[in-house]
Amino acid sequence: MKAAAFSYVKPRSLAETFDLLERHGEGARLLAGGQSLIAALNMRLDTPRMLIDLNGLRELSGIRVDRDTIAIGALTRHRVLELSDDVSRHLPLIHAAMPFVAHAAIRNRGTFGGSIAFADPAAELPACCIALDARFVIRSRAGDRRVAAREFFRGLYETDLRSGEVLAGGEFARSGDPYRYSFQELARRHGDYAIVGVATRARIAAGVLSDVRIAFCGMGPTPMLATAAAAALDGRACSRDVIAHAQASLARDLAPFDDLYQTAATRMHLARVLLGRALAQLTADHEC
Ligand SMILES: Cc1cc2nc3c(=O)[nH]c(=O)nc-3n(C[C@H](O)[C@H](O)[C@H](O)COP(=O)(O)OP(=O)(O)OC[C@H]3O[C@@H](n4cnc5c(N)ncnc54)[C@H](O)[C@@H]3O)c2cc1C
């Protein structure tokens, strides 16, 4: 199948992009890496009249490390994130997750912002952003607004982005305190979308877990923050009973669904297994 006819324009500035968005309204789509959008057009799941290609906007690309913040521009390719020393040093959770994001050819074109704006509930980066308590920078003619990752994902493929807005990137706090991180995923083949994935961050001192954040992909209509499971771990020394309690608590956090391949019950079982693996990795040098 081929896409329905559309017009194409590649603006040279964000100001021009905002003009185009205003002029074409609901009939326009922003094009980043095209790895999800072009497939949707070819299957005629979407039939925009105008594609606005963001790839000429250099200001939306790159990784910047400041004193307090690490910023990732929306147009930064997955492959750049995967190979970045800054990401490996300052955002080890994202570094660990990147090899699970699609296949190498798709990572060469796909972008950070495309993955966040597309909001596939099985995608890895949205879950990592929630686990890391990131903020998204949303730009429009009116200026910038910042939205916590946790508030940004509203429903299945639905986000807080409004008409006339462009996602400019994500911001992550640089933490002086050492955290430990784990990314775990099960997929049918490596590089496919996750059946279930979990992004986890915690501090551990003298075997006691604190500031635990756990976010799942593939376990509901959006990436899901597992607050009950985190509460079951926070302030406790890691033990088999504590881990089992956190795994049981996932029933309160997650809203899995049946699909052609898995039942909700299977997904919940896999989520518990993955949380166990994540905690084993986080606490690898502590007795549990
Ligand atoms: C076979 C296959 C397997 C894949 N497997 C995975 C996987 O395992 N995990 C995973 O996470 N992803 C996977 N993907 C998706 C891939 O990661 C895409 O790169 C990503 O979903 C979209 O990024 P993109 O840059 O290609 O966005 P595009 O396809 O260009 O755009 C996607 C959507 O986001 C909007 N958009 C893009 N940029 C912006 C912006 N800056 N501001 C506002 N809106 C914007 C577009 O208008 C469009 O609606 C897979 C894709 C394919 C084809």
Side-chain angles (χ1 to χ4, degrees):
M1 211 158 164
K2 286 262 180 353
F6 56 82
S7 300
Y8 168 91
V9 59
K10 190 171 180 180
R12 297 214 178 116
S13 68
L14 267 171
E16 197 187 334
T17 307
F18 298 139
D19 285 344
L20 287 160
L21 284 173
E22 198 168 285
R23 200 172 327 138
H24 297 283
E26 289 303 308
R29 296 289 177 278
L30 297 170
L31 174 69
Q35 300 302 295
S36 300
L37 181 61
I38 298 298
L41 300 195
N42 286 342
M43 289 186 276
R44 301 205 180 193
L45 297 172
D46 197 5
T47 54
R49 289 188 299 279
M50 169 63 75
L51 283 199
I52 304 173
D53 187 346
L54 297 175
N55 285 277
L57 304 179
R58 290 227 179 131
E59 70 240 67
L60 293 185
S61 193
I63 300 158
R64 202 187 63 243
V65 182
D66 294 333
R67 198 168 61 95
D68 302 321
T69 315
I70 301 128
I72 299 178
L75 264 187
T76 311
R77 310 272 173 211
H78 297 324
R79 185 75 174 148
V80 171
L81 292 179
E82 185 182 0
L83 298 180
S84 161
D85 288 340
D86 283 333
V87 170
S88 152
R89 190 173 317 127
H90 300 293
L91 298 170
L93 183 63
I94 289 187
H95 179 72
M98 288 318 295
F100 293 98
V101 177
H103 307 274
I106 294 159
R107 292 200 294 274
N108 282 338
R109 289 300 300 167
T111 65
F112 174 78
S115 180
I116 300 303
F118 191 57
D120 191 308
E124 292 81 2
L125 281 169
C128 289
C129 288
I130 289 183
L132 293 171
D133 205 10
R135 294 187 308 177
F136 297 131
V137 182
I138 297 170
R139 199 155 286 165
S140 71
R141 202 192 289 290
D144 284 0
R145 64 186 180 97
R146 286 171 165 75
V147 178
R150 186 183 179 176
E151 311 293 328
F152 180 80
F153 300 100
R154 291 292 182 84
L156 195 59
Y157 300 104
E158 194 190 329
T159 72
D160 190 47
L161 279 169
R162 301 171 194 155
S163 163
E165 292 185 327
V166 173
L167 179 67
E171 291 176 344
F172 303 80
R174 273 184 76 176
S175 161
D177 295 321
Y179 280 101
R180 289 172 180 231
Y181 301 93
S182 175
F183 188 86
Q184 302 286 330
E185 172 169 320
L186 285 167
R188 292 178 79 207
R189 292 175 308 176
H190 185 85
D192 284 358
Y193 272 110
I195 298 168
V196 181
V198 62
T200 314
R201 158 195 109 168
R203 288 189 179 119
I204 306 178
V208 175
L209 293 148
S210 64
D211 207 0
V212 183
R213 272 176 89 91
I214 305 165
F216 279 88
C217 49
M219 288 303 292
T222 63
M224 308 290 284
L225 190 66
T227 52
L233 295 163
D234 251 322
R236 292 191 169 79
C238 136
S239 70
R240 282 174 194 214
D241 284 352
V242 166
I243 292 173
H245 180 44
Q247 288 170 316
S249 303
L250 289 177
R252 284 188 277 146
D253 287 322
L254 305 175
F257 36 77
D258 296 334
D259 66 13
L260 285 176
Y261 306 107
Q262 260 78 40
T263 63
T266 301
R267 280 180 195 278
M268 187 57 89
H269 171 73
L270 295 177
R272 290 185 170 128
V273 170
L274 287 188
L275 180 60
R277 288 184 189 171
L279 293 170
Q281 187 179 9
L282 289 180
T283 58
D285 46 8
H286 295 273
E287 280 293 311
C288 282

